[in-house]
Amino acid sequence: MADVTMPQLGETVADGTVTKWFKKIGDAVAKGEPLFEVSTDKVDTEIPAPADGTLTAILVPEGTTVDVGTILATIGVAGEAPTSAASPRSATVAAPVASGVTSERVSRPAASEGRGLSPVVRRLLDEHGLSAEQIDGTGPGGRLTRDDVMNFVANATPEPSDATAVGSLSPVVRRLLEERGLRASDVTGTGPHGRLTRRDVEDASSPSSQPTPSGDERVPFSKSRRLTAAHMVRSKATSAHTLMVREIDYEPIEVVRRRAGAAFKEREGFSLTYLPFVTVALARTLRDFPHLNASVGDDELIIHHNLNIGIAVDLDNSGLVVPVIHDTDRYSLVEVARKIRELALAARGKKLKLDDTERGTITISNPGPYGTLMTGAIINQPQVAILATDGVKRKPVVVTSSDGDESIAIHSVGLVALTFDHRAIDGAYAAQFLARLDQEMNRRDWSLDD
C-alpha cells in the first residue's frame, strides 16, 4: 500500500488545497498519471500518482486545505477492494451552510465527484462565498455549471443563524480570514443575506480599511508574505552572506537592443530587455566557475552539473516566487527571453507547474527596471549565490581603443551585485567570476542567434 501525501510545492509553501480528484475510489491508477490537482499561493498544478494500484481511500475531499505531508489518500495493490474507511465520496455528507442559506444533509458524492470546476464557476463560488459541495450540478456527469451556481444564489432562503458563524463560511473565506488575522465578526458581508464573500475579506484587510488610532496602520501578512519572510530569515541564519559588486558596460548589449529590438517586439509580442542577455552570460560564465552552481551539504560542497537558473518574480508585492529555467545553457538568447516571459506570466497568474519551481541551482534578482543602484539580495536556499542586476543608465565612460588611445563616450552602464555564501567560496573566486561575467557581457559579439 502507498500513501498519497500533500507534496512540498516550493521552498516557502507550507500547505495546499486539494481542488480536484481525477480518480474515484476503486479506480485503477498508474504511476505518473495525474491523480489530483493542488492549489497554493504560488502554484496550481496536477500531482501524479506515486505508485500503480487501486485507489482505496480518499481522506481529504476537494476544497480542503492541509499541511505539507498530510496523507490525502491511499493506493493499494491492483484489484484490492476499498476499505470501509475509504468511502467519503459515497457517504452521506453535510453540505457546508452558507450564511443565510438553508442547507440539509444530502446523500451525494462529496466534493463534487467527477466534476471539474471551470474558471467561471470557481470565480462565482469565490465571489458568493460558496463551496462546490453545497450545490447539485446539472451538467454532464453532475458537473457544476454557471447556471447551477446562480440559481442556487437566487433561490437561497434566509436562516436565522449568525451569518458570521464559522460553520457558515465557505472554505475560501475561512482561509482568507485566517491568513489575514481577521475574525468573521470583523467583516461586513455583502453577499446574499449578509453572507461573507471573498471580496469582503480582501476589502476588510486592505490598508485603507485598517483603523489608525495613533497614526499607525496594521497590515496583516498574507500567507505568501509570511512564507517569504520565513524563508529569508532562514537563509540569513544559514549562509555566511557576502556581497561583491562590479560595474558592467552594457553598450554591446545596448547596440543589439537598438538594432533588433523593434523587430523582436513585433515578432514576439514583448520587449527585448537586458535580463535575457545577463542570463545567457551567467550560464556561460558558470561553466568555468562551478562552485557557484552548487549547494552546501553536510561538511561538503555539492556541485550541480545541471545549470538551472531561477528568476525571482514579485507577486504584486505580496511575496516572491522563483521559477526555474532548467538546463539554461542549452537555450539560445531568444529562447531564454521567451522562457523568462513565459515563467513570469505563469507565476503572476498562479499557473506554474510543480517542476517550474524545483531544482534551481542559482538565482537572478532583477530590480533594475525600477532604477536601483545596488542590491544585496538574500541567497535562495539551499543555493550558494544570487546575482542582482540593477538599473542601467547612460553615462560618460573612458573607452580604450585597440592601440591604447583613450576617449570619452556615452555608454549604458549598470552594476551587478553577487551575494555569495562565504562557506562555499572565498572572495578571490567571486571576484574572478565577476570579471569573467563582465567579459561575457561586454566583449562578446552579441546576436539574436546566440
Side-chain angles (χ1 to χ4, degrees):
M1 183 176 72
D3 289 333
V4 179
T5 61
M6 177 62 70
Q8 176 80 50
L9 301 175
E11 290 288 338
T12 65
V13 176
D15 58 30
T17 302
V18 178
T19 54
K20 182 179 179 181
W21 286 99
F22 299 114
K23 298 285 187 177
K24 61 181 183 295
I25 292 172
D27 283 353
V29 297
K31 182 178 180 180
E33 72 171 323
L35 181 60
F36 62 99
E37 181 183 73
V38 171
S39 176
T40 73
D41 285 331
K42 297 182 177 181
V43 177
D44 292 327
T45 189
E46 296 178 353
I47 305 300
D52 296 328
T54 299
L55 188 60
T56 57
I58 292 177
L59 307 176
V60 176
E62 291 173 353
T64 305
T65 301
V66 295
D67 292 336
V68 168
T70 299
I71 298 177
L72 308 177
T74 57
I75 297 175
V77 296
E80 180 179 351
T83 64
S84 58
S87 55
R89 287 182 163 267
S90 57
T92 298
V93 295
V97 184
S99 292
V101 177
T102 298
S103 175
E104 300 176 354
R105 291 182 68 86
V106 294
S107 180
R108 67 171 182 266
S112 309
E113 177 182 348
R115 296 181 294 169
L117 302 180
S118 71
V120 171
V121 169
R122 291 190 188 197
R123 176 176 57 79
L124 289 172
L125 291 172
D126 283 354
E127 287 178 357
H128 293 285
L130 298 170
S131 61
E133 293 88 347
Q134 294 173 252
I135 308 171
D136 288 315
T138 61
R143 185 184 180 91
L144 275 184
T145 68
R146 177 185 182 280
D147 289 342
D148 293 334
V149 180
M150 298 311 296
N151 288 338
F152 183 87
V153 172
N155 296 324
T157 56
E159 268 194 348
S161 59
D162 182 3
T164 62
V166 173
S168 70
L169 304 175
S170 74
V172 172
V173 169
R174 284 199 298 271
R175 176 172 59 81
L176 286 174
L177 288 170
E178 180 183 352
E179 288 176 1
R180 304 188 182 207
L182 296 173
R183 296 172 298 180
S185 58
D186 296 331
V187 184
T188 301
T190 62
H193 315 296
R195 182 168 57 248
L196 294 189
T197 69
R198 177 178 190 159
R199 182 168 296 179
D200 295 333
V201 181
E202 291 174 340
D203 290 345
S205 59
S206 65
S208 61
S209 68
Q210 303 299 308
T212 56
S214 303
D216 298 329
E217 293 184 2
R218 296 181 182 273
V219 182
F221 277 1
S222 66
K223 181 191 292 185
S224 179
R225 181 77 269 152
R226 286 201 311 271
L227 295 173
T228 299
H231 188 56
M232 296 299 99
V233 170
R234 181 167 66 89
S235 180
K236 291 290 284 187
T238 299
S239 296
H241 280 65
T242 310
L243 180 66
M244 190 170 289
V245 183
R246 187 178 179 97
E247 187 176 66
I248 302 290
D249 190 339
Y250 280 80
E251 193 62 16
I253 295 173
E254 185 62 31
V255 168
V256 175
R257 293 178 70 239
R258 284 198 299 263
R259 184 180 68 237
F264 177 91
K265 184 173 184 179
E266 182 177 358
R267 183 180 71 249
E268 302 292 336
F270 60 93
S271 297
L272 181 61
T273 67
Y274 296 113
L275 186 55
F277 293 89
V278 176
T279 305
V280 170
L282 174 60
R284 289 177 173 270
T285 304
L286 286 170
R287 293 172 180 171
D288 295 325
F289 292 86
H291 288 196
L292 283 168
N293 194 57
S295 56
V296 174
D298 186 10
D299 201 26
E300 62 184 359
L301 186 67
I302 303 170
I303 298 173
H304 305 299
H305 292 295
N306 289 336
L307 205 161
N308 304 327
I309 298 178
I311 308 292
V313 176
D314 175 71
L315 301 176
D316 297 324
N317 297 318
S318 67
L320 295 171
V321 65
V322 183
V324 176
I325 305 174
H326 296 100
D327 300 312
T328 312
D329 50 338
R330 297 185 181 181
Y331 293 106
S332 69
L333 176 64
V334 172
E335 289 170 334
V336 167
R338 290 171 183 158
K339 278 284 186 181
I340 292 172
R341 169 79 169 180
E342 172 189 322
L343 291 171
L345 291 176
R348 296 189 176 108
K350 291 187 62 180
K351 299 300 181 183
L352 289 173
K353 297 181 176 62
L354 174 60
D355 191 58
D356 290 335
T357 59
E358 291 190 330
R359 306 192 312 280
T361 56
I362 192 169
T363 297
I364 296 176
S365 176
N366 181 43
Y370 300 101
T372 55
L373 176 64
M374 184 176 68
T375 302
I378 297 177
I379 296 168
N380 183 23
Q381 294 298 319
Q383 299 165 17
V384 299
I386 182 170
L387 184 74
T389 56
D390 288 287
V392 177
K393 295 183 178 180
R394 303 290 288 175
K395 59 184 294 186
V397 298
V398 176
V399 178
T400 304
S401 66
S402 57
D403 56 9
D405 292 338
E406 295 182 338
S407 61
I408 301 295
I410 304 298
H411 282 190
S412 295
V413 178
L415 300 180
V416 295
L418 179 73
T419 303
F420 63 92
D421 188 341
H422 218 319
R423 298 177 303 167
I425 65 168
D426 294 323
Y429 191 88
Q432 293 164 22
F433 163 81
L434 286 174
R436 180 69 61 81
L437 180 67
D438 187 351
Q439 292 176 6
E440 286 290 339
M441 293 177 62
N442 188 26
R443 298 169 191 167
R444 287 192 68 230
D445 181 19
W446 285 105
S447 123
L448 294 191
D449 295 326
D450 286 338

